[in-house]
């Protein structure tokens, strides 16, 4: 992940070390996935060179590009970061001014795209080259100058040409930058840097990012945290995720963290931990893919490629709303039949078959066989998704209980 | 979050605007003119009154020449600000940030903050002067006024705003009546509008003329006023098709501002300058309205300057906080709680605190600080004009509403003259001081 301000005016050289110019703008597609197509480089004669992204070799202290490349022409639906996005006013649905685009985030994995917008004071400090000021204020005055990021998905990208950045939703409902993206970024850095990175967010946001990390990284992080920090974040993340984390930690560490939790929180977590002793709780896995109903088929396919590399099983994709309630399901087969731009809600099956933690395993087996499904979602109170039980998970149970096999 | 468009500053202006129909005759007359009148009133804050008084007392009628020259400049630059906003639907701060980035915004905001701090300090020393004229203890009085200002900005009473504007217009009118009753030499006054004459133009007079003249420019055409009028026009949501009315309004407003300024200068020139009375205290300044107010002059001046100081502090400090939000796009509505709008509140309260501390020094006198503060404002003007002219002359931004050659040249030449005068004033202050 890069900030535009970090790349702006960075030196561009060819592989042989020949100076080309300085990066002055980045061109991207005005689409739901704002893929970056070109970089604009100003050379010594003040001419602007349009260099295709494919020519960019690596980004270090300098940006290195291929020795030979073709200047790429402009496409009709291209806009640029510096001209159309940076410093623009962000307005809400009814035109009220909200904040400004202080910096732009660029994700480089799996490809280069504009992933979000920095709307915080930190963005301004970064551009003025005085990053230490917010850190200083945070540390010495306990002012919480957190990093605030807005996700690309929250912006009406077609409105960008009007000179304003218009939001998709009501301001209070903004998801900000997808925590999954930040988690991806975090998983690539070492634990020490991760702690620092998380500090630049407020606690709630940091907890959301932690919740989106994979379990290995989570447990490594909770081993590295001070016990107080660990218990603080543990009480902020979803209880079922907290339970997973706790089970991934060594016994001594687990007891230490639990002892620092508030009485109420401890009871809640211990209650949830007791589920793991119920039969369904034991069988349940949290390894399932969840998407939101307004994502497109293309988004989902991208997500499968990105997020399910280490999945052992993927028979169904679950659709959750903002409250993590289960609202639909579809199979990878149905997904592949769709046009890339079709939104999930158009083809998902509503009212999926579900089971509860208290459902006896026999009933779950019957449901799986009766409806010919390979996995069944387990929901808790208010239809909140807890996990899934897959046909793989119950095969041992079936083998043990069906005598004639 | 940053719902400043509907923020307090605009509500305040709306209240001011809306309140006019409820006033008596004068107010009804003003109501026709809307934004122009507001700007006219706001421009003549306490530091403005003090600067014009000093100009009249120290320089006499020749300074009226400067007033005549800057009236079209005020009209043209205010009109540019209104036109810019009506066409682009953006404020001056917005455009600077969007076209020139964070660093330039930071530089201009810092200069604006500095100039506004100077103006607010002078307005607070005016409140101090009022307290001494009314024989009230200074420190508690300023404290009470500060609390009132904060309370006013947060709660902002409709009736109160109305009364403040009424007192302002009455106060300025006393100068008009005084000017007539003082029986000035009208021939001299009017001819000096066009050519400064009938005075011994020695080195010291010229040096004062340069410095105070710059102060008169700075208090008439204020940097904050440029931001103020463009946000005002934004708030009024004037349609591009009705831009003619808005343009006429700004011309009327410019005339009105300087109409009052003219009589302030004439009244002080006819009472203080003619009789060789130096202007250093509130009592002396009050002499300018004595021909009209008689023995009540001291009290009337105290109330008037208190009112003008109060208004100046409120509007100038809010306009800094507003510009901050425009430049940096942070949350800035007073409807929100402190934590949600830290930037807006911190800027607003910071200015009040710094200005209060400076104004409480015994050496800080209204008549010592006023001109210097306005010179700071004048020195900053070219920086604001540079961007104002740049945007309004850009075909890309303005389309068919781009500046006429005359306006662009006039504003550019004026900018160069102000820069030259600023440099000359600074040099003469260094060398002469």
């Amino acid at each position: 992940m890069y900030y535009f301000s970090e790349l702006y005016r960075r030196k561009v050289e060819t592989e042989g070390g020949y100076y080309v110019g300085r990066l002055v703008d980045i061109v991207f597609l005005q689409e739901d996935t704002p893929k970056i197509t070109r970089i604009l480089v100003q050379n010594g004669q003040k001419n602007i060179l349009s260099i295709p992204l494919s020519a960019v070799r690596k980004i270090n202290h300098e940006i290195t590009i291929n020795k030979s490349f073709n200047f790429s022409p402009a496409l009709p639906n291209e806009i640029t970061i510096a001209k159309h996005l940076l410093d623009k006013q962000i307005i809400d649905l009814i035109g009220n001014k909200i904040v400004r685009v202080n910096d732009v985030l660029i994700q480089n994995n799996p490809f280069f795209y504009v992933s979000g917008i920095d709307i915080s004071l930190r963005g301004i400090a970064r551009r003025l080259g005085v990053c230490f000021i917010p850190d200083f204020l945070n540390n010495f005055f306990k002012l919480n100058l957190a990093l605030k990021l807005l996700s690309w998905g929250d912006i009406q990208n077609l409105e960008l040409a009007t000179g304003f950045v218009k939001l998709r939703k009501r301001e209070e409902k903004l998801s900000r930058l997808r925590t999954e993206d930040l988690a991806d970024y975090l998983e690539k850095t070492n634990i020490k840097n991760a702690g620092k990175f998380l500090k630049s967010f407020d606690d709630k946001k940091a907890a959301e990012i932690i919740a989106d990390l994979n379990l290995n990284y989570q447990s490594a992080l909770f081993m590295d945290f001070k016990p107080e920090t660990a218990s603080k974040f543990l009480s902020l993340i979803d209880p079922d995720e907290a339970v997973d984390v706790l089970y991934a930690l060594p016994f001594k560490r687990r007891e230490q963290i639990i002892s620092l939790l508030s009485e109420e929180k401890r009871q809640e977590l211990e209650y949830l931990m007791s589920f793991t002793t119920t039969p369904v709780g034991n069988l349940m896995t949290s390894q399932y893919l969840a998407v939101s109903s307004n994502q497109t088929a293309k988004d989902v396919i991208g997500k499968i490629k990105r997020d399910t590399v280490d999945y052992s099983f993927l028979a169904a994709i679950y659709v959750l709303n903002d409250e993590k309630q289960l609202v639909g399901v579809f199979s990878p087969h149905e997904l592949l039949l769709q046009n890339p731009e079709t939104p999930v809600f158009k083809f998902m099956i509503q009212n999926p078959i579900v089971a509860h933690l208290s459902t006896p395993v026999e009933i779950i087996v019957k449901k799986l066989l009766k409806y010919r499904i390979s996995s069944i979602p387990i929901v808790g109170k208010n239809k909140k998704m807890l996990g899934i039980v897959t046909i793989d998970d119950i095969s041992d149970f079936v083998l043990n209980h069906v005598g004639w096999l | 979050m940053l719902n400043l468009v509907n923020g307090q500053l605009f509500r305040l202006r709306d209240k001011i605007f809306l309140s006019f129909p409820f006033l008596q005759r004068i107010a009804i007359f003003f109501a026709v003119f809307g934004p122009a009148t507001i700007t006219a009133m706001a421009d003549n804050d306490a530091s403005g009154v003090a600067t014009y008084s000093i100009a009249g007392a120290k320089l006499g009628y020749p300074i009226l020449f400067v007033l005549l020259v800057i009236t079209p400049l005020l009209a043209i630059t205010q009109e540019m600000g209104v036109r810019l906003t009506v066409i682009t639907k953006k404020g001056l701060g917005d455009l600077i940030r969007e076209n020139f980035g964070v660093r330039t915004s930071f530089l201009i905001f810092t200069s604006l903050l500095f100039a506004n701090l100077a103006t607010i300090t002078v307005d607070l020393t005016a409140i101090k002067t009022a307290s001494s004229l009314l024989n009230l203890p200074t420190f508690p009085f300023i404290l009470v006024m500060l609390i009132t200002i904060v309370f006013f900005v947060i709660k902002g009473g409709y009736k109160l705003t109305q009364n403040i504007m009424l007192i302002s217009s009455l106060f300025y009118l006393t100068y008009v009546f005084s000017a007539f009753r003082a029986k000035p030499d009208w021939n001299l006054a009017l001819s000096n509008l066009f050519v400064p004459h009938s005075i011994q133009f020695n080195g010291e007079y010229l040096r004062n003329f340069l410095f105070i003249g710059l102060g008169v420019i700075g208090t008439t055409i204020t940097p904050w006023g440029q931001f103020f009028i463009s946000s005002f026009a934004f708030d009024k949501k004037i349609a591009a098709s009705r831009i003619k009315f808005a343009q006429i309004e700004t011309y009327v407003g410019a005339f009105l501002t300087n109409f009052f300024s003219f009589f302030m200068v004439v009244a002080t020139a006819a009472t203080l300058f003619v009789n060789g009375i130096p202007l250093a205290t509130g009592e002396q300044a009050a002499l300018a309205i004595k021909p009209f107010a008689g023995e009540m002059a001291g009290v009337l001046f105290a109330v008037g300057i208190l009112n003008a100081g109060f208004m100046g502090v409120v509007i100038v400090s809010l306009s800094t906080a507003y510009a901050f939000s425009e430049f940096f796009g942070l949350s800035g509505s007073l409807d929100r709680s402190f934590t949600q709008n830290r930037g807006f509140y911190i800027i607003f309260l910071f200015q009040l605190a710094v200005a209060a501390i400076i104004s409480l020094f015994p050496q800080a006198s209204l008549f010592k600080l006023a001109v210097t503060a306005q010179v700071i404002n004048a020195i900053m003007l070219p920086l604001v004009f540079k961007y104002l002219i740049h945007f309004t002359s850009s075909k890309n931004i303005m389309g068919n509403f781009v500046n006429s050659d005359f306006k662009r040249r006039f504003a550019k030449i004026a900018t160069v003259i102000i820069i030259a005068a600023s440099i000359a004033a600074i040099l003469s202050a260094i060398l002469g001081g």
Side-chain angles (χ1 to χ4, degrees), chain A residues 248-299:
Chain A
L249 295 175
F251 179 76
K252 249 178 128 177
R253 182 78 180 170
R254 187 194 310 164
E255 291 299 304
Q256 186 190 25
I257 293 174
I258 290 180
S259 70
L260 286 167
L261 291 169
S262 71
E263 183 60 32
E264 203 183 337
K265 198 77 201 172
R266 185 162 66 228
Q267 279 178 4
E268 187 185 0
L269 291 187
E270 280 170 354
Y271 169 74
L272 276 176
M273 285 165 82
S274 67
F275 283 141
T276 54
T277 59
T278 71
V280 175
N282 250 336
L283 291 173
M284 192 171 80
T285 168
S286 59
Q287 207 178 58
Y288 62 89
L289 186 70
V291 298
S292 80
S293 59
N294 51 16
Q295 282 181 294
T296 61
K298 199 170 68 183
D299 294 340

Side-chain angles (χ1 to χ4, degrees), chain B residues 113-321:
Chain B
L113 176 68
F114 185 65
N116 285 3
L117 255 178
T119 308
I120 296 165
T121 308
V122 174
D123 282 330
L124 278 174
T125 60
I127 293 173
K128 189 166 99 171
T129 305
S131 79
S132 75
L133 278 173
L134 298 170
N135 286 323
L136 294 167
T138 307
F139 182 73
F141 188 73
I142 290 197
L143 199 66
V144 168
M145 287 311 289
L146 282 176
I147 294 167
T148 317
I149 286 165
V150 172
F151 189 75
F152 176 79
V153 164
I154 292 166
K155 293 276 168 200
Y158 173 88
K159 268 257 152 67
L160 192 57
T161 315
Q162 179 181 318
N163 292 336
I164 285 173
M165 296 312 290
L166 178 63
I167 295 171
S168 300
S169 40
L170 290 178
F171 179 54
Y172 302 143
L173 280 174
T174 57
Y175 278 95
V176 179
F177 296 134
S178 278
F180 280 102
R181 298 201 72 174
K183 299 205 167 41
D185 184 341
W186 285 111
N187 269 337
L188 203 58
L190 291 174
S191 58
N192 264 303
L193 267 177
F194 301 96
V195 183
H197 66 96
S198 301
I199 227 107
Q200 217 185 342
F201 292 107
N202 57 22
E204 194 188 335
Y205 184 89
L206 286 176
R207 203 160 47 234
N208 281 334
F209 193 90
L210 179 67
F211 198 68
I212 298 172
L214 207 53
V216 168
I217 295 175
T219 194
T220 310
I221 314 174
T222 55
W224 63 263
Q226 295 299 328
F227 289 93
F228 183 92
I229 193 131
S230 93
S231 343
F232 191 96
F234 180 87
D235 185 52
K236 304 284 332 162
K237 295 200 167 41
I238 302 166
S241 57
R242 296 193 57 188
I243 196 166
K244 267 270 163 281
F245 296 100
Q247 285 171 319
I248 292 167
E249 266 181 348
T250 56
Y251 297 146
V252 174
F255 170 77
L256 211 60
T257 310
N258 288 346
F259 174 81
F260 284 125
S261 313
F262 172 81
F263 285 105
M264 280 179 205
V265 173
V266 172
T268 43
T271 50
L272 301 176
F273 179 75
V274 169
N275 298 316
I277 305 170
L279 179 53
T281 66
E283 283 85 359
Q284 287 161 341
L287 289 176
I289 53 172
K290 206 165 181 183
F292 172 70
E295 291 311 306
M296 287 294 289
V299 177
L300 191 62
F301 182 78
V303 173
I305 202 88
L306 175 66
N307 180 73
F310 182 92
M311 192 180 66
V313 174
V314 170
I315 291 184
V316 179
S317 59
L318 272 177
S319 85
T320 325

Side-chain angles (χ1 to χ4, degrees), chain B residues 320-361:
Chain B
T320 325
Y322 179 74
F324 177 78
S325 307
E326 248 187 29
F327 278 127
F328 301 113
L330 294 172
S331 63
S333 160
L334 289 157
D335 293 335
R336 295 291 180 107
S337 67
F338 177 78
T339 41
Q340 284 166 309
N341 285 289
R342 250 182 310 221
F344 191 85
Y345 277 95
I346 288 173
I347 293 290
F348 176 67
L349 296 174
F350 167 80
Q351 297 175 91
L352 286 190
V354 173
I357 291 166
I358 299 172
S359 67
L360 279 172
F361 279 101

Side-chain angles (χ1 to χ4, degrees), chain A residues 82-83 86-89 95-103 119-121 123-124 126-129 143-145 148 162-164 171-172 176, chain B residues 1-6 88-91 93-95 97-103 106 234 322 324-332 336 342:
Chain A
K83 209 191 253 165
L86 200 63
D87 291 324
K88 292 288 180 279
Q89 182 79 52
N96 288 326
K97 294 180 181 182
I98 302 189
V99 278
R100 262 182 201 289
V101 179
N102 290 334
D103 208 344
I119 54 172
S120 62
L121 207 64
I124 292 180
R126 195 181 310 115
R127 286 179 63 197
L128 290 171
L143 278 176
N144 193 5
L145 295 176
K148 269 186 263 156
T162 61
F164 286 105
E171 188 205 340
E172 306 84 64
R176 309 287 185 204
Chain B
M1 197 192 319
L2 185 123
N3 191 355
L4 251 184
V5 185
N6 306 319
T88 62
K89 309 263 179 280
K90 285 172 184 171
D94 290 320
L95 284 159
R97 171 68 195 270
E98 288 176 17
N99 290 279
F100 293 92
V102 169
R103 278 164 202 260
F106 187 75
F234 180 87
Y322 179 74
F324 177 78
S325 307
E326 248 187 29
F327 278 127
F328 301 113
L330 294 172
S331 63
R336 295 291 180 107
R342 250 182 310 221

